[in-house]
C-alpha cells in the first residue's frame, strides 16, 4: 500500500469520527433545547423524522471511518466502500470536495507493476 492510500484512509477515519461526534453533540444540543421549550407546537412525527435523519447521518459518518480502517488493514471491500464515500464526499464543499478528489486520485490511479526478480 502506497503512502497516498494510507493518507486518504487516515483522513477518512479522522473526519468520519469528527463528523459523527459533531452530529451527536448537535443532536444532544437541539434535543436539550427542545426539552426546555414549553410552547413547542412541533408535531411528533417531525421530531421523529429528525431523529431518524440524525441517526442515518451518524451511521454514514461511522461507516466512512470503518471503510478507512478496512483500507488500512488491506481489505479490497473497504477500498470499494471508500471510493463510494469519496464520490459522496465530493458534494461536501470545501473539505469533502478536496478529500473526495484526493481519495479518488489515490485509489483509482494506475499502480506500477511490482518488480519480479527471477
Amino acid at each position: 500500500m502506497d503512502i497516498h492510500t494510507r493518507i486518504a484512509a487516515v483522513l477518512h477515519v479522522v473526519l468520519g469520527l469528527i463528523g459523527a461526534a459533531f452530529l451527536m453533540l448537535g443532536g444532544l444540543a437541539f434535543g436539550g433545547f427542545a426539552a426546555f421549550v414549553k410552547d413547542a407546537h412541533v408535531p411528533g412525527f417531525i421530531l421523529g423524522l429528525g431523529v431518524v435523519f440524525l441517526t442515518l447521518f451518524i451511521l454514514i459518518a461511522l461507516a466512512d471511518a470503518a471503510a478507512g480502517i478496512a483500507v488500512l488493514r488491506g481489505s479490497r471491500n473497504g477500498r470499494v466502500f471508500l471510493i463510494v464515500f469519496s464520490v459522496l464526499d465530493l458534494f461536501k464543499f470545501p473539505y469533502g470536495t478536496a478529500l473526495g478528489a484526493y481519495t479518488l486520485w489515490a485509489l483509482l490511479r494506475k499502480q506500477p507493476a511490482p518488480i519480479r526478480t527471477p
Side-chain angles (χ1 to χ4, degrees):
M1 178 183 323
D2 68 333
I3 188 71
H4 294 292
T5 304
R6 287 183 188 179
I7 290 172
V10 168
L11 286 174
H12 274 274
V13 170
V14 170
L15 292 179
L17 292 177
I18 288 173
F22 275 121
L23 284 168
M24 283 188 244
L25 288 175
L28 287 174
F30 282 118
F33 178 72
F36 288 112
V37 175
K38 301 287 186 204
D39 296 328
H41 299 316
V42 178
F45 76 93
I46 292 178
L47 188 61
L49 192 62
V51 169
V52 167
F53 277 115
L54 181 67
T55 304
L56 178 70
F57 290 141
I58 290 172
L59 289 176
I60 289 171
L62 291 176
D64 191 10
I69 291 171
V71 167
L72 288 174
R73 291 186 177 175
S75 170
R76 293 183 60 87
N77 291 333
R79 186 178 178 92
V80 172
F81 280 113
L82 205 59
I83 290 171
V84 170
F85 285 123
S86 297
V87 170
L88 294 175
D89 282 344
L90 292 174
F91 298 106
K92 298 178 190 175
F93 186 77
Y95 300 112
T97 304
L99 176 63
Y102 178 70
T103 304
L104 288 174
W105 173 80
L107 294 178
L108 296 178
R109 64 193 166 103
K110 187 174 181 178
Q111 302 291 330
I115 300 173
R116 295 187 179 148
T117 56

